[in-house]
Amino acid sequence: MKNIEIKTLIIIAGPTAVGKTGLCVELAKKLKTEVISADSRQFYRELNIGTAKPSLEDMEGIIHHFINSHSISEYFSVGDFERQCLQKLEGIFQKNNIAILTGGSGMFIKAIIDGLDDMPDVDSELRNNLMQRLNNEGIQPLLKQLEFLDPDYFNTVDHKNSQRIVRALEVCIGSGMPFSSFHGQKKEERPFNILKICLNRNRDILYKRIDQRMDLMLANGLVDEARFLMNFRSHNALQTVGYKEVYEYLDGNYGYEELVRLLKRNSRRYAKRQLTWFKNQDDFLWFEAGNKDKIFEFIEEKLSV
């Protein structure tokens, strides 16, 4: 018998193409609950093929939050996700003692587990101005400004991650203090239990699934989708595996065969980085993705009194 007083968030994490969606749909049906996506690109309505976004058929009637919830023209940070996700969880927990969070974007998942450092409020006009500069001038002028305002963060941030660059600049400009000065605060205590599960597969099987997924994306029109989104290519969501290779192809930097090779190679490398990130989080419990019965038995045991 489950303890009806305890609220529990079950996190199902793992690399791309490992099989998170299917497992979560089945789990949500068993637990009669809803799923929250922590995939940093599936938020955007305009990004469909290149994000392997689950279809209505894939979701099988299970409510999935944060899929098609925002436009690529909007700025949506990890902090925005944390705030909105906690609000969604509060609503789910009013109806059910269990919720499911799934995805492969480590920073978004970590934001829900531990919280983010408190940052000052930022004027929306400042954010819009920075996004307009990014679209019109590219990322280099923003990087130069960040180097001047916060050299410590400049030396650690990924210089291709436009979303983090904009976020750091808006805090620097809006507060008059370096973005890095707000880091290092204590972890948040969440008002619910968290069960952290990470999925994996045999490496050869995982890589085969990734290759098959890329073939399917190309067949379904990935190149046309990227072309349609060309005006937004400087956004961080489109400077990622699956889109950046297509833009290089559209720029004439290589042919179609090389595009296919790079899409598959870089997707496999991305999956490897995801696995490394989650393995560095000490308290994730690891399961073979294909062994659903074992996963469900473990969850049931943990939820039982």
Side-chain angles (χ1 to χ4, degrees):
M1 179 179 178
K2 298 180 180 118
N3 186 336
I4 61 173
E5 299 300 325
I6 298 176
K7 307 297 183 182
T8 301
L9 175 64
I10 301 172
I11 295 177
I12 306 292
T16 183
V18 76
K20 298 183 292 294
T21 297
L23 187 143
C24 287
V25 165
E26 193 170 337
L27 181 60
K29 285 183 176 180
K30 288 178 179 292
L31 299 175
K32 296 180 173 59
T33 191
E34 301 171 11
V35 175
I36 294 177
S37 173
D39 186 302
S40 63
R41 303 188 304 172
Q42 291 183 0
F43 307 141
Y44 300 116
R45 290 186 287 273
E46 298 86 352
L47 278 61
N48 293 297
I49 299 170
T51 63
K53 188 180 294 177
S55 65
L56 290 175
E57 291 78 10
D58 294 330
M59 292 187 259
E60 297 183 31
I62 296 297
I63 295 174
H64 282 63
H65 301 277
F66 294 103
I67 290 181
N68 293 329
S69 55
H70 294 75
S71 170
I72 190 64
S73 62
E74 299 175 56
Y75 180 87
F76 189 63
S77 69
V78 181
D80 295 328
F81 174 72
E82 181 196 11
R83 288 187 293 274
Q84 294 182 25
C85 181
L86 291 175
Q87 291 173 356
K88 292 288 186 186
L89 284 172
E90 186 176 353
I92 294 172
F93 285 143
Q94 288 177 0
K95 303 175 290 184
N96 196 303
N97 298 310
I98 302 161
I100 300 169
L101 176 74
T102 187
S105 301
M107 288 302 297
F108 286 79
I109 292 174
K110 188 173 178 60
I112 303 306
I113 295 172
D114 295 329
L116 297 173
D117 296 326
D118 289 332
M119 294 287 173
D121 293 333
V122 175
D123 183 82
S124 60
E125 186 175 351
L126 171 59
R127 176 176 293 178
N128 291 337
N129 287 340
L130 287 169
M131 290 301 294
Q132 188 172 3
R133 284 183 57 198
L134 175 66
N135 289 331
N136 294 339
E137 305 170 27
I139 200 169
Q140 287 304 318
L142 301 185
L143 277 170
K144 283 188 176 182
Q145 187 174 10
L146 180 61
E147 183 178 20
F148 176 75
L149 295 174
D150 190 351
D152 289 339
Y153 189 69
F154 173 85
N155 288 330
T156 59
V157 70
D158 178 0
H159 289 186
K160 295 181 180 179
N161 193 321
S162 58
Q163 188 161 324
R164 293 186 187 177
I165 302 301
V166 169
R167 176 58 176 152
L169 273 178
E170 66 182 18
V171 171
C172 290
I173 297 169
S175 69
M177 298 175 63
F179 181 67
S180 56
S181 68
F182 294 95
H183 291 177
Q185 299 170 11
K186 67 179 182 179
K187 294 181 179 180
E188 291 285 345
E189 290 293 330
R190 298 305 190 195
F192 45 81
N193 289 339
I194 303 178
L195 182 58
K196 306 168 198 173
I197 291 172
C198 196
L199 306 180
N200 200 359
R201 288 185 186 267
N202 171 275
R203 188 62 56 89
D204 290 339
I205 294 174
L206 179 63
Y207 284 0
K208 184 178 180 179
R209 289 171 63 93
I210 290 171
D211 288 352
Q212 291 172 340
R213 173 176 282 186
M214 297 315 302
D215 286 334
L216 185 61
M217 285 182 181
L218 287 165
N220 286 341
L222 175 61
V223 173
D224 288 337
E225 179 174 88
R227 186 183 287 114
F228 177 76
L229 296 167
M230 182 72 77
N231 290 340
F232 299 99
R233 67 181 290 182
S234 61
H235 284 236
N236 187 54
L238 291 167
Q239 289 294 313
T240 53
V241 175
Y243 288 105
K244 64 181 181 180
E245 294 85 0
V246 175
Y247 286 125
E248 290 290 315
Y249 163 71
L250 292 174
D251 288 341
N253 294 334
Y254 41 70
Y256 188 79
E257 288 187 3
E258 179 68 359
L259 167 64
V260 175
R261 186 188 74 83
L262 290 175
L263 282 170
K264 293 179 178 181
R265 185 200 69 179
N266 293 346
S267 295
R268 295 192 296 265
R269 288 180 175 179
Y270 175 58
K272 187 176 180 180
R273 290 197 301 272
Q274 288 176 299
L275 286 166
T276 299
W277 193 93
F278 286 113
K279 284 176 180 176
N280 287 333
Q281 311 303 306
D282 294 335
D283 47 0
F284 272 86
L285 301 161
W286 289 78
F287 288 89
E288 169 64 32
N291 197 342
K292 292 183 181 180
D293 289 342
K294 186 175 180 180
I295 296 169
F296 294 157
E297 286 174 10
F298 172 78
I299 291 172
E300 180 65 30
E301 178 184 341
K302 288 294 182 181
L303 294 177
S304 297
V305 175

